[in-house]
Amino acid sequence: MRKIKMFMELFSYSSIIQTISRISISPNPEQSSCRAREYRGRDRDCIVCGQTTRIAHLGIEVCRACAVFYRRAKRGNVFVCRSSTGQCLFGKGLNCKRCRLDRLVHLLGRAEPLKKAKGMVKASSPSVDSPFTKPKFDLPLLDRVKTHYNTMCFTRLSSELNSRSNPPHPLEINLEKGPFFPADFAALIRSVRMMITAALEFGNTTFPEFADLSDSEKWTLATTFFYRFRVFEGCSRANKYFPEKPDIYFVSYATYCRFPLDEEFLSTAPPGADVAGAVAFWKKSPMTDYLLSARELIARVKSSAEEFIVVVVLMFWTYGDMSISENIIRIGEKYRGLIEKELHAYYRDELKLDNYAARMGELMMIIQTFEKTRDLKEQFEVMRLFNIMTDDNFVYQLQKDLVIPKS
């Protein structure tokens, strides 16, 4: 009986302790609501610009100014990093629109899965930014590439125009309107260095894994992308700005010329150059017919802005049978898979297409058409024989570094 009595006392004491514990940790609705109001009304620093705010915007702890900036930036504005590094310090004093936008995009991307897990995002509910800043479907890679591609283009355009002897006023420089000028040999050489630099930065900011590659791997990918993409972009933009002049081609972002090349283009070639011999060669060069057929193909396909960006990604991460590391192969497979998945969503959800296999085949044909790196190397070697390209010329050295896919 004594043992039973002790057991009953112990059980009673334990029950009391558990009851007290439940009371102490059970949430009181009024207290929880009060604490939530206190938290919402508490000053905190914006995790982007460092300014003080009492309300979290966009579902993360950013101030109203950053939220407004983000919504406006998503309408298509193009920003260039003030330090040209893409790594401006966050917090108070941040005065770089490019890095500010990149920071917001990164934070929102990290917060989205958490919001969905907590039920903060409802699939049936319209987005708070809709219809002005987000499409009806998510294309995160397409959107990111488009933003950084526009930045790369503006960097090239402004660099080329400001390097001219009589540059236009900064207020006159515009991605759509240029101004654009006839090209010459000297301007072409300058623009190549600018584009390679911009392509490396494009890789660093668009594809996080690219930044971790070795310098030699970055150089191989950037130069291979440069050769195939420059011709594709030049033909695409020529179709847009000179639809009735099929012999014109953009050799850089700000300059264009006629093919075959003439004496006017080569007027700024190095002293001692055999201009007459080079002009005669270009009149017979198969590259002239190749550029004409490339423009015809692009005009026939009439790719949309989204399809253009898909081609950009596929060209960046397509390297044929080149000898590359397993790491690059994995990265390339990842981004090719992601962009193709978003292309499917674009066709299905935006264009409402049920059968788009033929359309995808046309895009693949474009990529194959611009695999002309071997022919380009041969053209540069001929230009060296005419003393148009010298051994110490940056463009000539660049093509010597170019890795040709195995045939």
Side-chain angles (χ1 to χ4, degrees), residues 190-205:
R190 291 194 301 269
S191 70
V192 169
R193 186 182 290 270
M194 295 171 187
M195 182 173 179
I196 287 291
T197 304
L200 287 166
E201 179 62 11
F202 170 75
N204 284 326
T205 55

Side-chain angles (χ1 to χ4, degrees), residues 58-115:
L58 300 176
I60 55 178
E61 291 195 357
V62 298
C63 64
R64 182 178 182 277
C66 283
V68 171
F69 166 77
Y70 173 75
R71 292 191 174 99
R72 289 176 177 172
K74 290 289 284 182
R75 295 175 185 173
N77 294 333
V78 177
F79 304 117
V80 178
C81 178
R82 292 174 63 89
S83 65
S84 300
T85 64
Q87 299 179 357
C88 295
L89 296 177
F90 306 119
K92 293 182 179 178
L94 176 63
N95 194 27
C96 176
K97 293 182 179 180
R98 159 73 180 280
C99 292
R100 187 183 190 187
L101 177 60
D102 287 350
R103 173 71 167 168
L104 285 163
V105 171
H106 174 70
L107 291 171
L108 288 169
R110 290 176 54 188
E112 195 67 19
L114 183 59
K115 292 180 186 178

Side-chain angles (χ1 to χ4, degrees), residues 7 21 39 41 56-57 95 125 134 136 150 154 156 177 189 234 246 249 302 347 361 368 375 393 404:
F7 176 79
S21 299
Y39 179 76
H57 296 267
N95 194 27
S125 301
K134 287 187 178 179
K136 296 178 181 178
N150 287 337
F154 189 79
R156 293 160 56 200
K177 299 180 180 179
I189 299 302
Y249 163 72
K302 294 181 181 179
Y347 285 145
Q368 293 175 0
D375 293 343
N393 183 283
I404 298 180

